[in-house]
């Protein structure tokens, strides 16, 4: 039976390093400066025969209510209450601090079961800090080095012990509130659609995901650049399972000087490459600048679906003229994504979010489209008759056959006599024809030209010779 384990403690004690160790991947950002983790990050962990969900939390801090640090701490306390057990982490090299003692008392009251972990035990300097851990009243500390993997066997033994302490009714029977699994799991589709929410800082990406999820799972606020990790979330949304990545805001490369921001942007780019649909979020007050175009172009090069969201639409007074202007800019500046959906929403109030769901499913269907070879070749005959390819040195280019070789994105091959001589303008003519005639709008299309005859003619001749 699975359970949920939250990793908690003050900033910079090694919580994210321990998280990465438990999930077996370096997916949480780690840096020497405190406060790197801000949102909750979940992962599937395994220690020998134990499988469980682990949650990395922001460092607990005593801060005034209007600050970002206070909101981070409140999010972490929510995770503690929802988890079946907690790993309370201290830095053995620094020993027990006043902050450790204060937050240990809070965690002890909020969590069902707490395991004290003394991290960074490499070297003799950590011995005193381990012994100081007894003063927290959380039992015997488990000595580990998350960075080097020391003491993980002891963590496994303690987790086995708490499995006996927890009654079956105490253990989370499904995912947490964020997974929104109040609907029977039998209704969920078998495959989650992978989505990345990307855009510039403070465009409202986290607010949008919170609106979709129906809770305040992700940290939001007026400060730009709150999100640092590419935070994944499994959400059941209007009859379909999704895995949605909230990514850090992406500024122009020249403006990204801080090491941590570089790591955050790299994490977001990696999320784009692993996703199927990219939702590009724009602020209605500053829509579609050069950075947005770079992000959309990257998604197109990676072969992903793209949906453009105009957020904070409730603030726009001239809605009709604004949407016309934006559509024209998209057509002009993103010709490689002709027909890309443009969806006005208010992430804060939920306006237009249902339409966004509809456009995502539509784009996903188009991205997976398969067109029969017979239809494609009939289409090619008509296109060649309407607009024949140009001649090369007085000789006509012959295009004999077309077939779709893959979907995701839709990819086609045309067998022609001299593929290297076909001008780019004629390729665009064919691609635009595929979009218009087969409804392949808003997703990348790959069109490749190959030399040779109809390959199926060769196979049919061989069959006739054999027979």
């Amino acid at each position: 039976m699975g359970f949920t384990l939250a990793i908690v403690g003050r900033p910079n004690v090694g919580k994210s390093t321990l998280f990465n160790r438990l999930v077996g991947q370096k997916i949480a950002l780690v840096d020497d400066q405190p406060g790197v983790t801000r949102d909750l990050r979940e992962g599937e962990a395994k220690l020998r025969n134990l499988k469980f969900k682990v949650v990395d939390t922001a460092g607990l801090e005593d801060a005034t209510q209007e600050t970002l640090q206070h909101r981070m701490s409140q999010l972490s306390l929510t995770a503690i209450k929802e988890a079946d057990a907690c790993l309370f982490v201290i830095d053995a090299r620094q020993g027990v601090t006043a902050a450790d003692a204060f937050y240990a008392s809070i965690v002890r009251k909020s969590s069902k079961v707490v395991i004290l972990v003394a991290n960074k035990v490499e070297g003799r300097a950590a011995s005193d800090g381990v012994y100081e851990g007894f003063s927290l009243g959380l039992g015997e500390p488990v000595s580990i080095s998350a960075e080097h993997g020391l003491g993980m066997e002891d963590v496994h033994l303690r987790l086995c012990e708490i499995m006996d302490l927890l009654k079956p009714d105490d253990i989370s029977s499904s995912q947490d509130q964020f997974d929104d699994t109040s609907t029977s799991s039998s209704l969920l589709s078998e495959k989650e659609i992978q989505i990345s929410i990307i855009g510039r800082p403070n465009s409202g990406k986290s607010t949008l995901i919170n609106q979709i999820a129906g809770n305040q799972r992700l940290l939001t606020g007026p400060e730009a650049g709150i999100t640092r990790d590419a935070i994944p979330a499994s959400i059941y949304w209007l009859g379909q399972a999704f895995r949605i990545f909230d990514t850090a805001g992406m500024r122009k490369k020249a403006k990204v000087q801080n090491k941590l921001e570089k790591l955050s942007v790299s994490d977001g780019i990696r999320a784009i490459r692993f996703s199927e649909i990219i939702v590009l979020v724009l602020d209605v007050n500053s829509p579609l600048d050069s950075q947005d175009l770079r992000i959309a172009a990257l998604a197109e090069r990676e072969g992903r679906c793209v949906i453009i969201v105009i957020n904070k639409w409730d603030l726009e007074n001239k809605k009709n003229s604004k949407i016309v202007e934006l559509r024209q800019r998209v057509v002009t500046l993103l010709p490689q994504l002709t027909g890309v959906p443009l969806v006005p929403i208010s992430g804060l109030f939920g306006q237009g979010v249902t339409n966004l769901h509809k456009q995502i499913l539509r784009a996903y269907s188009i991205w997976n489209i398969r067109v029969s070879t017979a239809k494609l070749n009939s289409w090619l005959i008509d296109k060649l008759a309407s607009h024949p390819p140009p001649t090369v040195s007085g000789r006509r280019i012959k295009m004999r056959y077309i077939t779709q070789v893959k979907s995701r994105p839709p990819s086609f091959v045309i067998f022609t006599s001299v593929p290297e001589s076909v001008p780019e303008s004629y390729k665009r003519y064919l691609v635009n024809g595929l979009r218009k005639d087969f409804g392949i709008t808003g997703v990348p299309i790959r069109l490749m030209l190959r030399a040779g005859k109809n390959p199926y003619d060769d196979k049919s001749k061989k069959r006739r010779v054999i027979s």
Side-chain angles (χ1 to χ4, degrees):
M1 182 178 295
F3 63 97
T4 302
L5 184 70
I7 304 175
V8 299
R10 61 181 175 83
N12 214 33
V13 292
K15 297 185 298 297
S16 294
T17 304
L18 178 55
F19 173 86
N20 287 341
R21 175 67 61 180
L22 290 172
V23 299
Q25 302 179 64
K26 293 183 178 180
I27 57 177
L29 294 184
V30 177
D31 195 70
D32 291 336
Q33 63 177 288
V36 172
T37 300
R38 289 178 172 175
D39 288 291
L40 304 181
R41 178 184 279 279
E42 299 175 359
E44 296 299 323
K46 181 179 180 181
L47 270 180
R48 296 189 65 181
N49 61 323
L50 288 181
K51 293 183 179 180
F52 52 94
K53 182 170 71 176
V54 61
V55 181
D56 185 23
T57 67
L60 296 169
E61 298 183 74
D62 187 15
T64 54
Q65 190 165 357
E66 66 276 5
T67 62
L68 174 61
Q69 287 73 21
H70 175 79
R71 299 199 302 276
M72 290 162 56
S73 295
Q74 290 302 306
L75 199 61
S76 297
L77 289 172
T78 299
I80 293 170
K81 294 175 182 177
E82 294 178 355
D84 298 306
C86 288
L87 294 182
F88 187 84
V89 185
I90 63 172
D91 185 337
R93 290 182 297 196
Q94 293 186 4
V96 173
T97 66
D100 288 324
F102 176 69
Y103 292 117
S105 64
I106 294 176
V107 172
R108 191 167 51 243
K109 296 174 184 177
S110 303
S111 178
K112 303 180 183 76
V113 179
V114 184
I115 298 174
L116 177 61
V117 173
N119 191 27
K120 306 181 185 180
V121 297
E122 311 92 330
R124 298 177 181 176
S127 300
D128 292 341
V130 174
Y131 291 123
E132 288 177 15
F134 283 95
S135 65
L136 296 175
L138 298 175
E140 180 182 356
V142 180
S143 300
I144 72 165
S145 168
E147 183 174 358
H148 299 287
L150 304 175
M152 300 311 294
E153 180 65 27
D154 294 330
V155 174
H156 171 262
L157 292 174
R158 292 294 292 274
L159 290 177
C160 289
E161 291 174 5
I162 71 168
M163 290 297 292
D164 296 331
L165 295 174
L166 292 172
K167 298 178 181 179
D169 292 342
D170 293 332
I171 299 177
S172 301
S173 58
S174 59
Q175 304 295 320
D176 58 13
Q177 289 181 345
F178 186 55
D179 290 331
D180 192 15
T181 53
S182 56
T183 306
S184 170
S185 60
S186 62
L187 298 178
L188 297 176
S189 67
E190 293 184 2
K191 182 187 181 303
E192 292 179 321
I193 298 177
Q194 309 283 328
I195 299 177
S196 282
I197 309 293
I198 61 175
R200 282 175 282 156
N202 215 28
S203 57
K205 301 182 292 298
S206 298
T207 301
L208 171 59
I209 297 178
N210 284 341
Q211 181 64 236
I212 291 171
N215 59 35
Q216 294 299 308
R217 158 71 179 194
L218 296 174
L219 198 62
T220 62
E223 304 90 347
I226 289 178
T227 301
R228 285 175 169 171
D229 290 273
I231 304 294
S234 293
I235 301 176
Y236 184 61
W237 179 27
L238 297 179
Q240 171 63 47
F242 294 89
R243 188 160 181 79
I244 303 180
F245 287 82
D246 183 26
T247 63
M250 296 185 183
R251 299 192 298 160
K252 293 181 180 179
K253 188 175 181 180
K255 294 183 178 180
V256 180
Q257 302 295 332
N258 180 274
K259 172 190 172 185
L260 188 55
E261 186 175 0
K262 290 180 180 179
L263 291 173
S264 299
V265 172
S266 296
D267 207 31
I269 292 174
R270 186 163 54 251
I272 290 174
R273 290 171 176 153
F274 282 101
S275 294
E276 297 167 316
I277 295 177
I278 306 304
V279 176
L280 175 58
V281 181
L282 312 181
D283 187 325
V284 70
N285 295 314
S286 54
L288 211 59
D289 72 353
S290 58
Q291 180 65 2
D292 297 318
L293 296 175
R294 291 189 188 96
I295 295 172
L298 171 62
E300 191 277 335
R301 288 197 302 273
E302 294 293 330
R304 306 297 179 243
C305 299
V306 177
I307 295 174
I308 298 178
V309 162
I310 311 300
N311 196 20
K312 307 179 185 179
W313 192 244
D314 52 299
L315 302 179
E316 176 58 46
N317 295 320
K318 301 179 180 179
K319 290 181 169 57
N320 291 335
S321 58
K322 174 64 76 171
I323 199 68
V324 170
E325 174 193 342
L326 291 173
R327 291 189 191 282
Q328 186 56 49
R329 282 179 61 81
V330 169
V331 169
T332 303
L333 299 175
L334 290 172
Q336 69 272 43
L337 288 171
T338 300
V340 61
L342 197 65
V343 185
I345 70 161
S346 169
L348 184 61
F349 298 107
Q351 299 167 0
V353 174
T354 301
N355 185 39
L356 173 59
H357 177 272
K358 176 183 176 182
Q359 293 299 332
I360 288 174
L361 294 184
R362 176 181 175 275
Y364 186 74
S365 176
I366 295 173
W367 194 56
N368 284 276
I369 193 172
R370 299 291 305 196
V371 183
S372 72
T373 298
K375 289 182 179 180
L376 285 170
N377 280 286
S378 296
W379 169 86
L380 181 61
I381 292 170
D382 290 340
K383 287 298 171 184
L384 295 177
S386 301
H387 185 186
T391 58
V392 179
S393 301
R395 298 180 59 185
R396 184 169 60 89
I397 297 175
K398 297 180 180 179
M399 293 189 171
R400 301 181 176 90
Y401 182 81
I402 181 173
T403 187
Q404 183 175 356
V405 292
K406 65 183 288 289
S407 57
R408 305 162 62 92
S411 302
F412 305 88
V413 170
I414 294 179
F415 293 90
T416 181
S417 54
V418 278
E420 67 279 1
S421 299
V422 179
E424 288 298 321
S425 59
Y426 198 78
K427 292 180 186 177
R428 286 196 297 271
Y429 162 72
L430 295 172
V431 169
N432 290 335
L434 288 167
R435 289 194 185 281
K436 180 180 178 182
D437 298 331
F438 294 106
I440 311 175
T441 56
V443 303
I445 289 180
R446 303 289 186 253
L447 179 62
M448 296 156 280
L449 303 178
R450 296 288 184 267
K453 300 179 180 179
N454 181 341
Y456 289 90
D457 282 347
D458 292 338
K459 291 182 180 179
S460 63
K461 289 177 182 178
K462 290 178 182 178
R463 285 196 295 269
R464 284 198 296 269
V465 171
I466 293 173
S467 62

